[in-house]
Amino acid sequence: MNEYVCNSYKTDPRPRLDRLTALLHGLAPAFDVLRPDADTGSGALPSGEADHALHLHLLTSGEARLRMAGAPVRQVSAPAVVVCRADRAVVPEIVEPGALVSVRARFGGPAAPLLMEEFGAVLVVPLDDADGALAQVVVLIATEIAAPRCGQPALLERAGDILFIGLLRHLIAHPRTDGGLFGGLADARIARALVAMHSAPAHGWTLERLADEAGMSRTAFAQRFRQIMHCPPGAYLGRLRLAIARRALDSGASLKRAAGLCGYSGPATLSRALAQSRRRAA
């Protein structure tokens, strides 16, 4: 049984986590930093990987060209981070000599599907406009790859964590749209409700309790949540709970055990929810 599935979520919503820590707990990320190819200068990241992974291309100098199926060629100048889904991978082509390092971010937690929805299009983050800490960790990774020293594997593993946290901080501070996950986390009141659900999805959340978490009336909270997240609070919580249930079942849990982990009243209720989800996806 996956220990993350069993132990990360409790029915007691306390202690409270901040908005980013709660999301990270629900993502369970892991990172691989790839060495650049000797000929192209880029990390070799295959396309068509599992759905719940991102590719982060770190361009520290020079220029690169992005080729994407069905989209115009896009020119990128350093310093920048290019983020794309692993199942729609884009490998930048070096235009001018420079340094390009690639990082694979894999997500093993139930919030992964919610995150992946935010990256339908390739994202380019110019580091000149980003927080200085994000630029510093990009330089750290590139420097370590160029001149490896003892302890490099451990350093790169931790640098991947710091890189991803810096990227999420940037996206929360500068959401690309008014809605979606990052837009919700950028809204102080909606973020409190999201933290509550991410921290304890099996808890008996009701519209009234979530509105109290947000410090809003029921009506105002329901309207604001739907406006930003593009779905009602109950639907968002249901998607999160189903993702937890699927992870538990994939890890070998019984239907009864999975139902208990994600807040369903029993295996029959969970079974119906899973069947309804499959019909909607068909």
Side-chain angles (χ1 to χ4, degrees):
M1 173 71 65
N2 187 325
E3 289 299 318
Y4 171 80
V5 172
C6 291
N7 297 329
S8 291
Y9 292 113
K10 309 296 182 182
T11 56
D12 182 1
R14 304 297 193 272
R16 302 308 304 276
L17 304 174
D18 66 76
R19 55 187 174 174
L20 184 49
T21 301
L23 177 60
L24 288 168
H25 278 216
L27 293 173
F31 304 93
D32 303 305
V33 180
L34 284 82
R35 297 177 181 277
D37 181 89
D39 297 322
T40 66
S42 66
L45 286 172
S47 61
E49 293 187 17
D51 291 343
H52 300 155
L54 292 174
H55 290 169
L56 286 65
H57 301 287
L58 318 180
L59 184 65
T60 58
S61 62
E63 292 190 354
R65 184 165 42 228
L66 305 180
R67 292 191 179 275
M68 300 160 278
V73 174
R74 185 171 179 181
Q75 198 90 356
V76 179
S77 299
V81 177
V82 178
V83 186
C84 58
R85 292 173 58 122
D87 56 354
R88 306 172 191 171
V90 176
V91 179
E93 302 172 353
I94 297 297
V95 176
E96 294 182 3
L100 180 69
V101 177
S102 296
V103 179
R104 179 192 294 111
R106 295 169 285 111
F107 307 106
L114 306 177
L115 177 76
M116 300 308 293
E117 291 177 2
E118 300 297 310
F119 294 97
V122 174
L123 169 67
V124 177
V125 179
L127 294 180
D128 288 338
D129 301 327
D131 185 275
L134 180 58
Q136 288 171 6
V137 72
V138 168
V139 172
L140 171 65
I141 292 173
T143 301
E144 187 65 24
I145 288 290
R149 292 180 290 175
C150 58
Q152 185 194 70
L155 184 147
L156 291 179
E157 179 181 351
R158 287 158 178 78
D161 286 315
I162 298 170
L163 171 70
F164 188 62
I165 291 171
L167 177 64
L168 292 183
R169 284 177 173 174
H170 174 80
L171 295 177
I172 291 172
H174 306 91
R176 292 172 292 165
T177 64
D178 293 333
L181 180 60
F182 296 123
L185 292 172
D187 183 291
R189 294 174 298 178
I190 298 304
R192 289 195 289 269
L194 291 173
V195 168
M197 289 186 277
H198 292 167
S199 301
H203 185 68
W205 296 114
T206 62
L207 181 60
E208 291 82 358
R209 290 174 179 173
L210 289 171
D212 285 344
E213 292 287 331
M216 303 172 70
S217 70
R218 282 182 51 189
T219 301
F221 170 70
Q223 291 175 345
R224 182 63 175 164
F225 192 98
R226 182 189 285 270
Q227 176 187 4
I228 293 181
M229 302 302 296
H230 309 307
C231 68
Y236 183 88
L237 179 60
R239 290 168 56 203
L240 182 59
R241 286 175 169 173
L242 280 177
I244 296 170
R246 291 191 181 101
R247 295 279 177 175
L249 293 170
D250 290 343
S251 299
S254 66
L255 200 62
K256 180 179 180 180
R257 173 65 173 158
L261 285 170
C262 54
Y264 285 92
S265 58
T269 305
L270 173 57
S271 182
R272 285 194 297 271
L274 289 168
Q276 290 171 358
S277 177
R278 286 193 292 269
R279 285 196 295 269
R280 285 194 296 266

